[in-house]
Amino acid sequence: MINLRISEIRAREIIDCRGWPTVQVDVYVEGRLMGRADVPAGRSTGTHEAHELRDQDPKRYRGLGVQKAVANVNNVISPALKGWEVVEQRKIDMAMVALDGTPNKSRLGANAILGVSLAVARAGANACELPLYRYINPNAHVLPVPLMNFLNGGKLTANDLEIQEFIIMPVGARSYAQALQITTEINEVLRDLVIEKYGILATNTGDEGGFATPMRGIREPFEFMAKAVEMAGYTDDVVYALDCAANSWFNRKKGLYELGGERYDRDGLIALYKEMADKYPIASIEDPLEEEDFEGFAAVTKELGIQIVGDDLFVTNINRLRKGIAIGAANAMLFKVNQIGSLSEALDSAEFAYRHNYGVQVSERSGETEDPLISDLVVALNSGQIKTGMPVRGERTSKHNRLLQIEEELGSAAVYAGRNFRRPA
Ligand code: PGA
Ligand code: ZN
């Protein structure tokens, strides 16, 4: 094998789409810049996510700076990995985990470790002259169904809608390109409907590009989406989904969920989901309950018989996933690389999910940059589903546009997951 040795790793502080600092990492191989990657960050984060190291210095970026994480890459990780073969992804990731030495990457920072991990993957792919998806998996060929979050609430918007994401999945499309076309057309009709009832101000968007309207509860958003879908002529081509992010409207003291002016206990809330799923073709619900209620997740999975996705529940962590699988909590895992903090560990969790018949849904964070890395990842995983926001802002369009490129590159090998999004054929 030719020498593909890491000669240097350099990090810098850059800005994400919310104006918050994040980490960007460059990996040099044999003296040449070979791979670069940006680290995403959440706002509606799970308690059990790996530790994102922020400076806590109120004089810079109100404490959100990442200069410590940058210094950890430049002064600790870079010297430790110098001379390593860039294609040894797993060895490199495990070495960083050991170098950190904490269970949640709190010493070096999950943002420092992940930045290196992703940039090493890019550098390995570039050094081998392969697109990243093919470098990770020579059998990569499934284009995902995009979960488009048309109406946004929760922590990702400045409105009173509790449920974070009301989603349309264009499962009837024949290709990713057509999926994008269908959803964009529906969004234009939805815009008109929102303006008609709530005025133009209601078409401001949340962190992930969906409209942030004054709607409340769960029923009205569905009425709007269904009407827009029908008027756009796509009723038979779409199904619906939710990311409830139920943590953010669970009243922990009272042990009750507070939604649209009503209070629900776990069973009451499951009954509400059931009512909605009987009325609309809902195919997937993420985080329908709060993040510690594994038994509740098992109950809702059994009761609804649709895809139930664990985000804050699993945090891409194989230990939490194992606990869930043991009792049938959810039947799919949300895949967010920064929740666990290295590519290899995230891939381990995905593999474990597949082995146990769980789906894997690759996801954006609310804090993204223009780096489209998750588009390569979703195809590499043949996962069949991606949540990467509405294609109306640059940090989201970069992912959609990268998927269009990949679809074209794959040519006749490309398969759009469509209705088989949970278990692509
Ligand atoms: P986050 O939101 O990136 O702020 O965590 C997205 C989600 O909850 O899925
Ligand atoms: Zn979520």
Side-chain angles (χ1 to χ4, degrees):
M1 195 166 73
I2 45 163
N3 278 347
L4 297 171
R5 291 186 194 283
I6 294 173
S7 40
E8 197 188 354
I9 302 175
R10 305 265 351 140
R12 68 180 62 82
E13 190 181 60
I14 61 162
I15 290 293
D16 74 19
C17 61
R18 308 165 301 181
W20 292 17
T22 190
V23 178
Q24 179 173 73
V25 177
D26 292 350
V27 169
Y28 289 78
V29 174
E30 305 294 332
R32 287 172 54 209
L33 174 57
M34 200 60 85
R36 171 175 289 165
D38 303 346
V39 176
R43 191 194 298 278
S44 155
T45 50
T47 311
H48 303 280
E49 296 194 17
H51 184 76
E52 192 176 82
L53 187 61
R54 300 221 176 244
D55 298 338
Q56 313 293 348
D57 169 6
K59 290 194 289 298
R60 289 189 75 252
Y61 289 109
R62 308 175 96 186
L64 294 171
V66 292
Q67 287 184 330
K68 286 182 188 162
V70 165
N72 286 342
V73 173
N74 294 341
N75 305 330
V76 184
I77 299 176
S78 177
L81 295 182
K82 194 174 167 183
W84 289 49
E85 289 287 343
V86 73
V87 294
E88 305 254 48
Q89 182 77 39
R90 190 171 185 88
K91 274 192 195 163
I92 289 169
D93 286 347
M94 294 306 119
M96 287 192 286
V97 168
L99 196 59
D100 175 82
T102 67
N104 64 345
K105 303 186 174 65
S106 56
R107 191 171 84 85
L108 297 174
N111 41 353
I113 294 171
L114 179 69
V116 174
S117 179
L118 297 179
V120 162
R122 268 244 171 76
N126 290 339
C128 296
E129 297 182 18
L130 288 170
L132 181 58
Y133 62 89
R134 188 166 290 156
Y135 170 72
I136 295 174
N137 179 8
N139 190 37
H141 66 283
V142 176
L143 270 295
V145 172
L147 284 94
M148 299 288 204
N149 45 8
F150 281 71
L151 293 167
N152 286 187
K155 289 189 179 165
L156 307 187
T157 52
N159 65 3
D160 296 322
L161 190 65
E162 294 90 346
I163 291 180
Q164 188 173 287
E165 298 163 24
F166 287 84
I167 295 168
I168 293 176
M169 303 175 68
V171 291
R174 284 182 305 278
S175 64
Y176 197 81
Q178 199 192 13
L180 207 52
Q181 180 205 324
I182 288 175
T183 44
T184 303
E185 288 175 19
I186 296 169
N187 199 39
E188 287 307 305
V189 177
L190 183 63
R191 181 192 307 276
D192 294 341
L193 293 176
V194 167
I195 293 172
E196 196 179 282
K197 173 144 188 204
Y198 289 110
I200 191 92
L201 280 181
T203 61
N204 284 323
T205 57
D207 281 341
E208 294 170 351
F211 297 129
T213 72
M215 294 176 203
R216 296 293 309 272
I218 194 169
R219 293 187 176 86
E220 192 183 7
F222 270 105
E223 286 161 17
F224 266 79
M225 286 197 300
K227 189 162 178 206
V229 165
E230 193 198 325
M231 285 171 68
Y234 290 119
T235 302
D236 296 335
D237 296 310
V238 308
V239 293
Y240 298 95
L242 294 170
D243 178 4
C244 299
N247 268 333
S248 59
W249 40 278
F250 178 60
N251 185 327
R252 209 161 277 283
K253 275 204 195 98
K254 297 200 179 97
L256 293 171
Y257 295 91
E258 296 176 339
L259 174 63
E262 307 276 336
R263 293 212 172 112
Y264 298 87
D265 61 10
R266 178 213 275 169
D267 290 346
L269 188 59
I270 295 176
L272 178 66
Y273 293 140
K274 182 102 177 50
E275 179 200 326
M276 298 309 294
D278 287 342
K279 194 157 176 205
Y280 299 97
I282 298 175
S284 179
I285 304 184
E286 176 185 335
D287 284 353
L289 301 169
E290 56 97 4
E291 67 190 359
E292 305 300 352
D293 191 4
F294 280 83
E295 291 77 21
F297 266 81
V300 72
T301 307
K302 210 166 152 213
E303 183 68 27
L304 292 187
I306 60 173
Q307 175 170 271
I308 301 294
V309 185
D311 172 11
D312 295 342
L313 182 75
F314 295 141
V315 291
T316 320
N317 183 315
I318 199 164
N319 296 319
R320 288 188 65 89
L321 183 61
R322 188 179 285 118
K323 184 174 164 188
I325 285 170
I327 61 163
N331 51 27
M333 178 190 84
L334 205 71
F335 178 101
K336 288 171 163 170
V337 278
N338 79 317
Q339 282 182 328
I340 188 69
S342 76
L343 179 60
S344 299
E345 289 167 289
L347 293 176
D348 283 349
S349 298
E351 198 176 315
F352 193 74
Y354 287 153
R355 287 221 173 126
H356 294 85
N357 245 329
Y358 272 46
V360 172
Q361 184 178 112
V362 173
S363 173
E364 69 198 323
R365 297 308 309 245
S366 50
E368 284 284 339
T369 71
E370 54 283 6
D371 187 338
L373 195 135
I374 59 167
S375 302
D376 282 72
L377 275 185
V378 72
V379 178
L381 285 165
N382 288 324
S383 106
Q385 37 184 332
I386 189 169
K387 198 168 76 149
T388 191
M390 294 303 291
V392 295
R393 306 164 40 131
E395 79 284 356
R396 316 288 150 185
T397 54
S398 68
K399 279 71 168 176
H400 293 294
N401 291 337
R402 174 69 186 139
L403 283 163
L404 294 176
Q405 291 167 358
I406 295 174
E407 185 163 71
E408 190 182 304
E409 272 172 27
L410 285 169
S412 61
V415 174
Y416 177 65
R419 295 182 198 277
N420 300 322
F421 63 90
R422 206 169 86 76
R423 283 197 205 112

